[in-house]
Amino acid sequence: MNLPEAFKNYKVGTVKEGPLHFFSLFTAEHWDAENYLEQTHHGTNKSKKFSRIMLDYIDDLNWVRQLQETPYPIKEYITSLLNQKKPTKAKLLSNLANKKRKIHVEVHRGTIVNGDQIQYNNIVRTTSCLIDFYNSSRKRKVEKEEAEKEEDEKEEDEKEENGKKPSTWQDWLKFLKEHRAAFHPYSPEANGIIRAGNGVSSKPYLDRNMYRRHVDVHEVKLNEVPEQLRKIVSEVTETDGLDAFRRKIKQEEGNDDLGFLESIFLQCFDQRYEAYTSPFADHKYEDTFNQLYIWPFMSVVANYTTAKNGKVGFQTGQPRLESMSTQLKAAGIIVNDKSCYKTDGLLSLFATRNVELLLVETSDHLGSSDQVKIKFDHHKAMFGLLSMIKTVAGEYQYASLEQFSTCKFFYLHGAGKDLQLWSLIYQEGVFDFWLEATVHILPKFEDVDTFLPELVEFFWLVKGLLNEAVKNVESLREEHLCALRKNKFQLSKLTNLNSFVNPVIMKLTQQQDILGIGSLGPMYSPPHH
């Protein structure tokens, strides 16, 4: 379509960095593929990466199209750009090469003309020169980028020499503030959250370069299965049939680790033996997904998660997320059976004050391909995590921000044929939303050799992270109580966690809030399992 005259000079006004900056730098009438190829991805071999650049071009156009601020005529124009036939690789690269050619110019007292003789007052001197405009400009740009990179590396080296780890959180805080107008209100970014993880894409909103750096420096604690237990898993999977497995596992005696392993084995074989040998059509219900692949294993994890003061337990069915009810009531919203947040499972530390640590969301039956439902449940759980973290900040408000920044909260997502474990933690004014692990479910009995080791590793990690989370929350509680005892008559002078940790809390409902949420991610590249 022809771009209306009134919109030819339109620019996106909220992007400052990365290839997306192209749409802020150039007006809409210059958003063609050739110009994008020329003006972005500097320092990249554009011939080898041509297909990747064109995919980025399409993704970036789609990103601009879905912005709330983008006028309708511009959205129609972008649609036409996406639908029109793209020039071939040879054609675009040929045009790009032609723009790099050297041209002969003459300089007349500061006036540049392309080889034509002109009369300009009384010309005193004429200078002939060869100028490669593209290469000189490109060289300056590369030199600038290299200088900036060296400066960043120097700053990070200085931080490491001083005992400080390089931090990206302040960079993210600045990014989120500058681009707030571009974010959908239900997106992680609009709520101060950086969602990431190995295999998770930066799309739709995060700057690619910052994101890569963020993932590279992100601290990941490994909770690997000990070699002794790995050996047992291998031996068990080599047995033939359920009876042989039972005889083998009964030979093993010992510590809690072996007890945990035995419980996972028995859940895998005993409680799901009927499912392995029954028609796959029996898996078409959400409750079946929970009963076979989530609840039994989370109950085992809860039994092997220890607390110094209190007990850890896992609730099945549709337990209420009390943190959400607490926050909605604090905001003056009436909460009843209809408006409360009903989870698909909830793991809590039951003590003087109960602390909800992990919620479960299951998106329909095993193998469901309803991506809109999966993404809706993801964002619903995200706000659930925010309510959990805000409630704990309120309960233990006089503890230190440093200790609070060690407290992780989790959600387990049954999505398609995967189980995903996500964590949320507060870091320097930003919430770190991280994909900790994924296990791909293989429901057939003959796949047990592959599936059982992966299942053990996944829930071993869940157990390790939850045990660490319980310890950190208990330390937070002790700090809070200690501050109360020491400052009984001057509490108003204490630093309050509520002044730092104050996210917006929303309870999403599928009927009202699902529209448009499918474009908010998470997206995965490369495949996440």
Side-chain angles (χ1 to χ4, degrees), residues 327 386-399 401 404 409 426 431 476 480 496-503:
Q327 297 305 322
L386 285 176
S387 72
M388 291 157 64
I389 205 169
K390 186 173 182 178
T391 298
V392 169
E395 292 284 3
Y396 304 127
Q397 57 188 305
Y398 298 120
L401 187 61
F404 183 77
F409 300 82
Y426 179 87
F431 294 100
L476 189 77
H480 168 76
N496 192 316
L497 285 177
N498 287 317
S499 61
F500 296 98
V501 186
N502 193 29

Side-chain angles (χ1 to χ4, degrees), residues 33-72:
E34 183 176 328
N35 200 34
Y36 181 90
L37 177 67
E38 179 183 357
Q39 301 297 339
T40 64
H41 295 78
H42 299 304
T44 301
N45 186 322
K46 296 185 180 183
S47 179
K48 288 185 178 180
K49 301 294 184 181
F50 180 81
S51 296
R52 179 69 260 172
I53 296 172
M54 288 298 99
L55 286 176
D56 286 345
Y57 174 60
I58 292 170
D59 288 343
D60 291 347
L61 282 174
N62 279 317
W63 179 84
V64 175
R65 184 170 60 173
Q66 61 86 37
L67 290 177
Q68 291 180 327
E69 66 188 50
T70 303
Y72 183 73

